[in-house]
Amino acid sequence: MRSNRTTSVTEFLFSGFPQFEDGNILFFIPLFFIYIFIVIGNLIVFFAVRMDTRLHNPMYNFISIFSFLEIWYTTATIPKMLSNLISKQRTISMIGCLLQMYFFHSLGNSEGILLTTMAIDRYVAICNPLRYPTIMTPRLCAQLSAGSCIFGFLVLLPEIAWISTLPFCGPNQIHQIFCDFEPVLRLACTDTSMILVEDVVHAVAIIFSVLVIAISYIRIITVILRIPSGEGRQKAFSTCAAHLGVFLMFYGSVSLMYLRFSATFPPILDTFIALMFAVLAPFFNPIIYSLRNKDMKLAIKKLLCSQRTLSTSAS
């Protein structure tokens, strides 16, 4: 809603969606099935780990927590995207926009911290295998998992609180497919120099996490290459391959989105990058974890077979 300077904006309009009156269903259907797959796929990974005692160790515990977070990470944005694709209004209230930004980025922060924790866990397991059981105790594992989530949600509160105090009195079109910091801040009727500060803060957090994970894996690969047997090297690589793939997808797409500062992309490329880290990365995560890990495949098969047996006996 646009009005004069004395009237504040109460809702925002998304303009990052394709402008096809009759073709939106072509975007709605695949996005709907992708969302269903993300939810079901990550739930399967989560319950497979929880119900198989062989997977009750730090690495798989972190994977199950990550899969659980992925469900809510996508739920923060995709249902609203689906609603906007079949709606002519494509609007979101001010409060709804702030909540979407908060939960989407809080969950994303928690996942980023958890990926960093998983890299350190693999570093200790491969580089210090004898000390691993005494270092990564169940208690420390639970503390790291809880700490990742708690810190991820707390660190965003001041930023969201500050944005909620800004005046919005002009254009209300968000040039994106969901509420994000930079597009929303550009609509504020005040000095937007803080956008650069926001970019720097986000960039420092992303670069720090990437450096920690990269250094961990450089050290891990160095140690693996020193293993004399080919079978030992293959086993060590297989335990890290899935996590490394998820790390590259997650931080690769996040870097494209938040490490460009003043650089501008064409709107269609902007939309594709947003879809890549908000939709496609969570879509491939359960596939990567289930296909690249023999223990996970066995656990998933065991889970599905037990459910089929229960349904058969019930009927």
Side-chain angles (χ1 to χ4, degrees):
M1 274 186 187
R2 298 174 185 224
S3 57
N4 55 40
R5 290 174 178 259
T6 61
T7 305
S8 62
V9 169
T10 58
E11 64 181 17
F12 295 109
L13 172 68
F14 293 108
S15 62
F17 290 93
Q19 300 296 317
F20 302 122
E21 288 296 326
D22 299 323
N24 286 338
I25 194 67
L26 298 177
F27 293 92
F28 176 89
I29 292 174
L31 184 59
F32 174 77
F33 282 108
I34 286 172
Y35 176 61
I36 295 299
F37 177 85
I38 290 170
V39 173
I40 294 176
N42 282 290
L43 276 176
I44 289 174
V45 171
F46 177 78
F47 283 111
V49 172
R50 294 295 162 182
M51 297 180 68
D52 194 326
T53 55
R54 295 172 304 169
L55 303 184
H56 290 178
N57 59 55
M59 182 181 77
Y60 289 108
N61 176 71
F62 292 139
I63 289 174
S64 69
I65 298 297
F66 186 83
S67 296
F68 183 75
L69 290 174
E70 285 282 62
I71 297 170
W72 299 107
Y73 175 75
T74 52
T75 300
T77 56
I78 295 182
K80 186 60 180 176
M81 291 184 203
L82 292 169
S83 172
N84 287 334
L85 281 171
I86 57 176
S87 172
K88 293 183 179 180
Q89 292 184 328
R90 298 181 177 181
T91 58
I92 188 170
S93 67
M94 172 71 75
I95 295 175
C97 186
L98 291 172
L99 287 173
Q100 186 179 70
M101 281 194 295
Y102 174 68
F103 283 107
F104 178 71
H105 285 285
S106 294
L107 290 160
N109 282 345
S110 300
E111 289 184 1
I113 299 167
L114 199 59
L115 283 173
T116 307
T117 304
M118 290 162 71
I120 296 172
D121 169 72
R122 290 299 84 206
Y123 170 81
V124 176
I126 292 174
C127 300
N128 296 282
L130 297 178
R131 298 182 58 197
Y132 181 73
T134 58
I135 295 174
M136 293 301 297
T137 61
R139 181 180 179 181
L140 178 61
C141 181
Q143 289 173 341
L144 290 172
S145 299
S148 298
C149 298
I150 292 170
F151 182 79
F153 275 82
L154 289 180
V155 74
L156 258 293
L157 281 175
E159 196 169 359
I160 294 296
W162 168 67
I163 294 174
S164 69
T165 64
L166 297 178
F168 293 90
C169 53
N172 69 336
Q173 284 196 359
I174 298 176
H175 299 289
Q176 190 49 275
I177 56 177
F178 55 83
C179 287
D180 205 358
F181 291 123
E182 193 267 345
V184 170
L185 286 174
R186 289 195 180 279
L187 301 178
C189 303
T190 185
D191 181 19
T192 57
S193 60
M194 282 298 292
I195 294 177
L196 180 59
V197 177
E198 292 275 321
D199 288 342
V200 171
V201 171
H202 294 156
V204 169
I206 294 168
I207 292 171
F208 176 76
S209 298
V210 169
L211 283 176
V212 171
I213 296 175
I215 292 170
S216 299
Y217 271 95
I218 289 171
R219 178 60 179 156
I220 288 170
I221 292 170
T222 303
V223 171
I224 290 175
L225 292 176
R226 292 176 186 167
I227 298 176
S229 68
E231 185 179 349
R233 286 196 299 269
Q234 184 178 1
K235 184 178 180 181
F237 270 123
S238 66
T239 62
C240 301
H243 175 261
L244 193 57
V246 172
F247 157 68
L248 291 173
M249 286 196 64
F250 182 86
Y251 277 105
S253 55
V254 167
S255 298
L256 281 174
M257 193 71 184
Y258 298 110
L259 293 183
R260 51 182 169 174
F261 295 101
S262 59
T264 57
F265 295 153
I268 190 168
L269 182 58
D270 233 4
T271 301
F272 176 76
I273 293 171
L275 285 171
M276 190 165 67
F277 85 92
V279 179
L280 295 183
F283 172 77
F284 284 110
N285 287 345
I287 299 174
I288 293 171
Y289 281 129
S290 59
L291 293 182
R292 293 291 304 174
N293 191 299
K294 184 188 294 186
D295 293 333
M296 183 66 76
K297 283 192 285 188
L298 290 173
I300 291 173
K301 188 180 294 184
K302 180 180 176 182
L303 174 67
L304 296 178
C305 289
S306 65
Q307 293 299 314
R308 190 178 302 167
T309 303
L310 287 173
S311 62
T312 302
S313 61
S315 60

